[in-house]
């Protein structure tokens, strides 16, 4: 008699072999996000299979379930199961940074390396009846775009002059690569007003938080984006197959009007990706009120102190948790280095520190997550001052906690070293200086959002301060990835400085980093 071998999908009994249920894995397609979320949530409440659940569920049942368990009982994890794809086009780079400032976010934006932004256009905020301000703003931004176009072309020809084409490389690939390198340099002149586009895929809980956050933002354009995102989630979605389906329904209707009506109902019904889960997303009052009070607290504590000079990448020392919390809460609402704020917080005493922490929680509602400033206790905390363009690349590292300060011209700007060699440094300095003067002029206007409106004129070459908090694995990851020779010169130097700061403090850890030395020459044709 042949030997019987038991497998994971079978079991031995006295009577022989009895088959047991096998694991079944399948992908699900063609289901509305909220219906899918309901079907997955039913795993915790029902023994039905996914296929059985989906067959019995319709949109009305899903909406009733979500209204009960999501809104009444607060089971917010259900919304994690509904994933939504959204396209956001012709928003400013400033607004795009705000949209992407979510830790649970997946998306992609237009690249300043691979695309020419000279024809993108730009966002113009409302200046009310202040016509001189509007005129100054438009001339400032127009001049930046003219210089961007000119510098892109000049740097392309300069790079061609110093970089011979390898015989094995095709001409179009050679030129495309050097144009990308030229855009890496000219992008320093692009203003935050520049139009861009992005796509995001987020779960419904993240979208709800994102909408509430955007609706509470200081910039009018960003608040409007919050409204548009909410509308897009609750309105009929774009159906890429609609035209072909309409033709098919027409053909069916020509054969049978009755069958055509059924086909129209089934094939052309409108789909709303999150009609229930996002409908109650409103401006986050906790964020609005707390921002106002922390701005005042930061101004009172720091006074008119000059901004102290610190390292571009400043790895912080260990400190008591209450000191870190109070310092971080104030950091976002001023332009001082973290180390300088911390010194003032330490000197202010325990009572003052607890008052600041209390401000960060005083207006917290029953369903509000704590502010990001309370994500504290990471071993590695870097206060980084870098150009806005480079920050946009570093912004993608969402496994760390990022506490960003506002946009300003106070920290000056970075200058790509190639400009000096190409003889273009003076012209670059002139346009950056004139732009800074215009931005500061606009900031002093009397409009309700004069400071916010002025920020759109700031070029990406100006510096922005951000604190990045992370564990050791993330330090290694960022240092290794961002120091590579194919990367942008801006974040390469920051990533390498992060590595150097860590090994100064922990020399024994140096051997675990696989970084690229940024002092080595770079092959411009290496991608």
């Amino acid at each position: 008699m042949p030997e019987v071998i038991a497998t994971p999908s079978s079991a031995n009994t006295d009577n022989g072999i009895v088959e047991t249920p096998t694991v079944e894995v399948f992908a699900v397609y063609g289901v509305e996000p909220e219906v899918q979320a309901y079907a997955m949530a039913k795993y915790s409440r029902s023994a039905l299979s996914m296929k059985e659940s989906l067959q019995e569920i319709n949109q009305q049942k899903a909406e009733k379930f979500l209204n009960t368990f999501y809104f009444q009982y607060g089971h917010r994890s259900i919304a994690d199961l509904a994933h939504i794809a959204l396209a956001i086009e012709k928003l400013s780079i400033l607004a795009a940074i705000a949209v992407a400032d979510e830790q649970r976010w997946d998306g992609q934006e237009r690249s300043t390396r691979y695309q020419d932004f000279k024809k993108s256009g730009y966002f113009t905020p409302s200046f009310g009846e202040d016509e001189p301000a509007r005129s100054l703003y438009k001339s400032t931004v127009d001049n930046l775009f003219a210089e961007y176009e000119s510098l892109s072309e000049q740097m392309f020809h300069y790079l061609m002059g110093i970089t011979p084409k390898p015989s094995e490389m095709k001409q179009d690939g050679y030129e495309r690569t050097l144009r990308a390198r030229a855009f890496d340099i000219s992008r320093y002149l692009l203003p935050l007003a520049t139009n861009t586009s992005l796509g995001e895929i987020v779960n419904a809980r993240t979208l709800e938080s994102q909408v509430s956050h955007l609706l509470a933002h200081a910039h009018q354009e960003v608040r409007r984006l919050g409204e548009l995102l909410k509308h897009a989630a609750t309105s009929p979605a774009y159906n890429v197959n609609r035209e072909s389906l309409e033709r098919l329904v027409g053909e069916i209707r020509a054969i049978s009007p009755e069958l055509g009506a059924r086909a129209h109902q089934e094939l052309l019904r409108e789909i709303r990706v999150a009609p229930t889960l996002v409908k109650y997303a409103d401006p986050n009052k906790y964020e609005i009120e707390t921002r106002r009070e922390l701005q005042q607290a930061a101004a009172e504590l720091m006074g008119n102190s000059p901004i102290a000079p610190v390292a571009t990448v400043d790895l912080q020392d260990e400190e008591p948790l209450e000191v870190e919390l109070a310092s971080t809460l104030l950091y976002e609402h001023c332009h001082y280095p973290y180390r300088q704020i911390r010194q003032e917080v330490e000197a202010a005493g325990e009572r003052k520190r607890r008052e600041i922490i209390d401000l960060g929680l005083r207006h917290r509602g029953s369903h509000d997550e704590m502010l990001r400033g309370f994500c504290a206790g990471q071993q590695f905390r870097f206060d980084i001052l870098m150009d806005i363009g480079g920050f946009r690349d570093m912004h993608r590292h969402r496994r760390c906690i990022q506490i960003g300060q506002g946009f300003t011209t106070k920290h000056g700007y970075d200058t790509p070293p190639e400009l000096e060699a190409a003889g273009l440094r003076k012209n670059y300095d002139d346009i950056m200086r004139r732009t800074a003067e215009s931005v500061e002029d606009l900031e002093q206007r009397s409009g309700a959002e004069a400071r916010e409106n002025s920020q759109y004129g700031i070029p990406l070459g100006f510096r922005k301060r951000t604190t990045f908090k992370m564990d050791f694995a993330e330090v290694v990851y960022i240092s290794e990835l961002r120091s590579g020779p194919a990367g942008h010169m801006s974040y390469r130097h920051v990533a390498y400085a992060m590595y150097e700061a860590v090994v100064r403090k922990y020399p024994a850890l140096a051997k675990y980093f696989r970084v690229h030395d940024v002092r080595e020459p770079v092959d411009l044709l290496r991608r």
Side-chain angles (χ1 to χ4, degrees):
M1 187 173 181
E3 180 181 3
V4 176
I5 300 176
T7 67
S9 59
S10 62
N12 290 313
T13 69
D14 294 337
N15 299 323
I17 297 176
V18 176
E19 291 295 321
T20 59
T22 58
V23 175
E24 184 177 7
V25 179
F26 55 91
V28 178
Y29 171 75
V31 182
E32 295 97 318
E34 290 192 352
V35 171
Q36 180 69 80
Y38 178 17
M40 288 189 173
K42 286 197 70 174
Y43 273 133
S44 69
R45 297 168 176 81
S46 169
L48 293 178
S49 71
M50 174 65 67
K51 294 175 183 178
E52 291 170 331
S53 291
L54 288 173
Q55 289 170 358
E56 76 160 23
I57 296 172
N58 56 35
Q59 184 61 50
Q60 288 73 27
K61 284 186 178 180
E63 181 176 355
K64 181 179 179 181
F65 172 85
L66 294 172
N67 276 326
T68 300
F69 286 91
Y70 186 74
F71 295 111
Q72 293 184 26
Y73 298 164
H75 294 182
R76 301 193 70 202
S77 61
I78 295 171
D80 293 342
L81 305 172
H83 282 76
I84 300 157
L86 293 153
I88 309 172
E89 299 178 351
K90 296 181 181 178
L91 73 165
S92 72
I93 289 178
L94 184 151
I97 291 172
V99 169
D101 192 35
E102 291 287 339
Q103 289 183 269
R104 301 181 293 262
W105 189 85
D106 294 302
Q108 198 70 253
E109 186 187 343
R110 287 183 63 193
S111 170
T112 56
R113 168 175 282 187
Y114 299 113
Q115 296 192 48
D116 187 347
F117 276 69
K118 66 183 179 183
K119 296 180 180 179
S120 297
Y122 59 86
F123 175 77
T124 301
S126 173
F127 290 95
E129 298 180 358
D130 192 346
E131 197 58 44
R134 181 182 294 104
S135 178
L136 174 60
Y137 173 84
K138 291 184 70 65
S139 65
T140 299
V141 175
D142 286 339
N143 287 338
L144 284 170
F145 270 97
E147 292 294 334
Y148 164 80
E149 182 177 4
S150 174
L151 184 60
S152 297
E153 200 63 27
Q154 291 180 82
M155 288 309 306
F156 170 64
H157 289 292
Y158 168 75
L159 295 177
M160 286 185 68
I162 65 171
T163 313
K165 183 183 81 66
S167 58
E168 70 277 7
M169 192 174 194
K170 293 183 178 180
Q171 183 67 26
D172 60 344
Y174 169 72
E175 292 186 8
R176 184 170 57 251
T177 301
L178 290 186
R179 282 203 180 276
R181 292 292 189 179
F183 286 146
D184 274 352
I185 297 167
S186 61
R187 85 172 191 188
Y188 282 68
L189 292 173
L190 284 174
L192 283 166
T194 305
N195 283 338
T196 185
S197 298
L198 60 81
E200 67 173 27
I201 299 176
V202 294
N203 63 52
R205 173 153 56 158
T206 297
L207 180 59
E208 183 190 31
S209 298
Q210 181 185 47
V211 168
S212 294
H213 170 68
L214 297 179
L215 289 173
H217 204 274
H219 289 76
Q220 185 179 47
E221 179 202 9
V222 180
R223 296 195 296 272
R224 173 62 175 152
L225 271 175
E227 296 172 358
L228 291 173
L229 276 171
K230 183 176 180 179
H231 179 75
T234 56
S235 301
Y238 168 69
N239 183 351
V240 68
N241 298 312
R242 186 171 185 86
E243 289 186 8
S244 61
L245 289 174
E246 285 177 341
R247 289 193 296 270
L248 177 60
V249 169
E251 293 171 6
I252 296 172
R253 185 177 283 116
I255 298 172
S256 169
E258 181 181 354
L259 195 58
R262 287 178 56 195
H264 184 279
Q265 182 178 357
E266 292 295 326
L267 299 177
L268 295 177
R269 63 190 178 90
E270 294 180 337
I271 301 296
R272 291 166 170 79
V273 293
T276 308
L277 294 172
V278 183
K279 65 182 178 181
Y280 295 128
D282 293 317
N284 190 314
K285 294 181 180 179
Y286 169 41
E287 184 177 332
I288 294 171
E289 292 300 318
T290 305
R291 179 174 62 223
R292 178 180 57 80
E293 294 187 359
L294 287 176
Q295 284 176 344
Q296 182 178 345
E300 291 175 355
L301 184 69
M302 303 306 295
N304 294 317
S305 302
I307 296 175
V310 297
T312 300
V313 176
D314 187 14
L315 177 59
Q316 302 303 305
D317 304 316
E318 294 182 12
E319 60 196 357
L321 181 59
E322 288 190 359
V323 173
E324 181 187 350
L325 289 173
S327 301
T328 304
L329 288 169
L330 296 182
Y331 175 90
E332 188 176 359
H333 302 289
C334 60
H335 294 292
Y336 292 96
Y338 183 91
R339 189 174 296 274
Q340 185 177 0
I341 297 170
R342 188 191 66 204
Q343 290 171 352
E344 295 296 331
V345 166
E346 287 177 330
E350 181 179 348
R351 180 177 177 181
K352 184 64 176 179
R353 288 194 291 273
R354 293 189 175 178
E355 287 178 1
I356 294 169
I357 295 170
D358 181 64
L359 289 179
L361 294 169
R362 181 179 299 169
H363 300 285
R364 185 183 177 212
S366 57
H367 296 294
D368 288 321
E369 293 183 7
M370 281 188 173
L371 297 175
R372 194 179 298 175
F374 287 97
C375 298
Q378 290 80 359
Q379 178 73 21
F380 297 93
R381 295 171 293 119
F382 298 89
D383 184 9
I384 298 177
L385 182 64
M386 67 186 302
D387 66 281
I388 299 169
F391 160 76
R392 290 173 69 239
D393 294 309
M394 293 287 287
H395 195 205
R396 300 172 188 169
H397 293 283
R398 307 184 195 288
R399 205 165 70 82
C400 57
I401 303 299
Q402 300 182 28
I403 309 295
Q405 294 185 347
F407 304 106
T408 182
T409 57
K410 295 179 184 294
H411 305 305
Y413 56 87
D414 282 351
T415 304
E418 293 87 350
L419 294 180
E420 191 77 55
L424 301 171
R425 171 70 183 268
K426 183 180 183 304
N427 192 54
Y428 175 82
D429 285 337
D430 286 344
I431 185 67
M432 296 298 259
R433 175 183 51 79
R434 294 197 306 270
T435 300
E437 292 173 354
S438 297
V439 168
E440 290 161 13
D441 186 345
L442 290 167
E443 185 178 0
Q444 299 305 315
R445 299 280 173 158
S446 59
E449 294 187 11
R451 181 178 63 178
E452 287 77 13
N453 290 346
S454 71
Q455 293 171 0
Y456 286 100
I458 299 176
L460 300 186
F462 276 84
R463 301 184 187 114
K464 179 187 188 301
R465 191 180 294 283
T466 309
T467 284
F468 292 79
K469 303 182 179 186
M470 63 195 78
D471 57 26
F472 178 64
E474 187 70 357
V475 179
V476 174
Y477 174 73
I478 293 175
S479 298
E480 291 182 349
L481 177 69
R482 294 300 183 184
S483 65
H488 193 281
M489 66 196 85
S490 171
Y491 60 69
R492 288 193 69 215
H493 286 282
V494 167
Y496 196 76
M498 290 171 64
Y499 155 73
E500 291 181 312
V502 172
V503 298
R504 277 196 300 270
K505 194 170 184 179
Y506 305 100
L509 298 179
K511 62 182 180 181
Y512 301 116
F513 288 79
R514 296 180 292 192
V515 296
H516 298 265
D517 193 334
V518 297
R519 295 164 294 190
E520 295 178 355
V522 173
D523 181 356
L524 294 179
L525 298 177
R526 181 179 177 184
R527 307 308 293 156

